[in-house]
Every structure is written in structure tokens, then in C-alpha cells.
Amino acid sequence: MGLGALVAITAGVTLVAATATFGVARLRRRYDTVDTFWGLGFAIIAAVAFPFGSGPLSLRLVTAALTVVWGVRLAVHLHLRNHGKPEDPRYARMVERAGDRAAGRLFVRVYLFQAVVLWFVSLPVQFAMYGDGLGVLGWIGVAVWLIGFAFETIGDVQLRRFKADPASRGQVLDTGLWRYTRHPNYFGDACVWWGLYLLACSTWPGAATVLSPVVMTFTLARGTGKPMLEKGMQHTRPGYARYVERTSGFFPLPPKRLTPR
């Protein structure tokens, strides 16, 4: 199968998966079901693309494995995070504003939109299935992926333990990885996708998918990731403003020394 045909197939699979997820969300009456779909969608695309690629088995296997491991871990993490809690306030507000047209609007603005972004971001994974081999860039990509996966996983564990401790209520997490970046999970997420992009760089078409990790990084650092989260934190955490002053917003750096107030 040619690369063009695969790209068309994955687009269709992504659309079907997003629609099915929306159906599940309607049955559950929980639109935040889309959060679980985000990680699983990438894993599905990798699994679909793996058998059709013409590249070396080692490259296809590493690319698929890294994508599936990352996607499944993220899906499980987000599902457990949302389980047993009220609907995500973002979606609750959208439902309230849209009224009777809420279902249609959320399907288009959230589910279809995320499906398009997911498919576009996954292009390096798809193109890597037609690459020439791992090579030096490929192994560098694996190393970058490992760094990102470690940051994301450890950061999520530290945050989960912090939230589970009653003594931390109303406080700001500024220890562990969170001492060096306000968003170790987002930084790790970006590294994962730059690592997967490097796996696709054994061919010029694969290298041309550079906009995919750029879009993911921009979304995390400037789009719906960091800015939206920090906007809410400034109103709920009294010490968050000082934390912002001394701690890097994205890339891990030593904290700044601030003069006492």
C-alpha cells in the first residue's frame, strides 16, 4: 500500500473513532470522554499504519510501540483522573451556552476538531512506516522520546500524589520536576512528539512533517494547554503568582531566586 492510501485510510479511521467516541460520550452523558480518545486515537493510528508500511520492520516496530505505549498510558491516566468527578467545567460551560444545540456543537467544535488535530499530529508516525531505517537520527529520536515520557509520567505521578494529600489543599506543587518547570507533563508530551518526528526523518517526506510536532508544541505551550490551565490556577492558588515568577513556564530550568516580600 502506498503512503497516500494509508494517509487516507487513517483519516477515515480517525473520523470513525471520533464519531464512535462521541456516541459513547452521549450514552455516558460525559463529554470529557474525548480526553480518553486523545491518547487512544494515536495508538489506533499507529496500529493501523504498522502492517501497511514498507519500511524496515525495526523502524516500524519501534515507532508503533513508542506511540502505543505513550497513547495508552495517557488515555488511562486521563480516564482515571476524570473518573468519579463531575463533568469537565470546559464542556459543562459549552453545554450551558449552547442549550438545545449542545450535542451538535460539541461534536463539531470538540470531537471533530480534535480528530483533525490528532490525525495531523500523527503524520510523522505514519510517514515513519515508510522510512529507510532507524539510523542516528532515529536513535536520537528514541532518546528524546524516553526523556519526554519520563517527564510526563513522573510529573503526573507527582501531581497525583500531591492532590491526594489533604495537607496540600490550596497549595502549589513546587517540588520534584515541578520545581524546574510549571508543566513537566506538557514539556514531556512535546518531547515525545519531537522524538517520534525524528524517527520519520530518514526520508525527506518524513522530514517534511515538521509542522506536526510544531502544532503539538504550540497547542501545549500557547494554545489550549498551559494558558488555559494557568488562568484557572491564578484564581484558586494564592501562591501561584510567586511560583510563576520563579519557575520556568515550559522548558526545565533552575528556579529563579526572588527577593522576599
Side-chain angles (χ1 to χ4, degrees):
M1 178 184 294
L3 178 57
L6 174 65
V7 168
I9 288 175
T10 56
V13 169
T14 305
L15 177 60
V16 170
T19 304
T21 304
F22 181 75
V24 173
R26 292 282 289 167
L27 291 174
R28 295 180 66 225
R29 298 182 180 180
R30 292 286 300 259
Y31 288 110
D32 60 9
T33 305
V34 73
D35 295 345
T36 304
F37 164 70
W38 179 250
L40 285 181
F42 289 108
I44 291 171
I45 288 177
V48 169
F50 172 73
F52 295 113
S54 59
L57 178 61
S58 58
L59 175 60
R60 292 188 289 123
L61 189 60
V62 168
T63 303
L66 296 184
T67 307
V68 170
V69 167
W70 173 82
V72 171
R73 189 214 71 88
L74 181 61
V76 171
H77 167 72
L78 293 177
H79 176 74
L80 293 177
R81 185 193 68 180
N82 294 338
H83 182 70
K85 297 180 180 179
E87 173 70 282
D88 188 306
R90 295 171 299 171
Y91 307 127
R93 287 193 294 268
M94 291 181 69
V95 170
E96 184 178 355
R97 289 196 298 264
D100 295 338
R101 295 175 292 178
R105 289 193 175 184
L106 264 80
F107 178 66
V108 174
R109 295 183 181 182
V110 177
Y111 284 75
L112 283 187
F113 177 75
Q114 285 205 20
V116 172
V117 174
L118 188 157
W119 175 83
F120 182 79
V121 170
S122 74
L123 286 178
V125 172
Q126 301 178 54
F127 278 59
M129 299 300 175
Y130 293 82
D132 292 336
L134 281 168
V136 175
L137 274 181
W139 287 114
I140 294 175
V142 172
V144 172
W145 184 95
L146 287 171
I147 293 171
F149 190 74
F151 261 85
E152 189 171 2
T153 303
I154 295 172
D156 284 339
V157 170
Q158 291 174 343
L159 181 59
R160 184 167 63 248
R161 290 176 178 174
F162 178 80
K163 288 183 174 181
D165 184 359
S168 67
R169 184 178 297 275
Q171 303 300 311
V172 176
L173 174 57
D174 59 359
T175 58
L177 295 179
W178 301 81
R179 172 179 169 81
Y180 304 100
T181 168
R182 302 199 298 272
H183 302 282
N185 46 357
Y186 289 169
F187 169 75
D189 204 339
C191 286
V192 161
W193 282 98
W194 281 106
L196 292 172
Y197 165 72
L198 290 175
L199 286 169
C201 285
S202 61
T203 63
W204 283 111
T209 63
V210 65
L211 286 180
S212 295
V214 168
V215 166
M216 176 63 94
T217 304
F218 178 83
T219 300
L220 293 167
R222 300 291 182 183
T224 58
K226 183 170 78 73
M228 290 186 65
L229 179 62
E230 293 194 341
K231 183 178 180 180
M233 292 287 287
Q234 290 176 356
H235 298 291
T236 58
R237 298 288 191 273
Y240 197 75
R242 292 286 281 177
Y243 175 63
V244 169
E245 288 182 42
R246 66 177 179 268
T247 310
S248 172
F250 196 73
F251 195 86
L253 294 171
K256 298 177 181 177
R257 292 185 179 181
L258 302 180
T259 55
R261 289 183 179 176

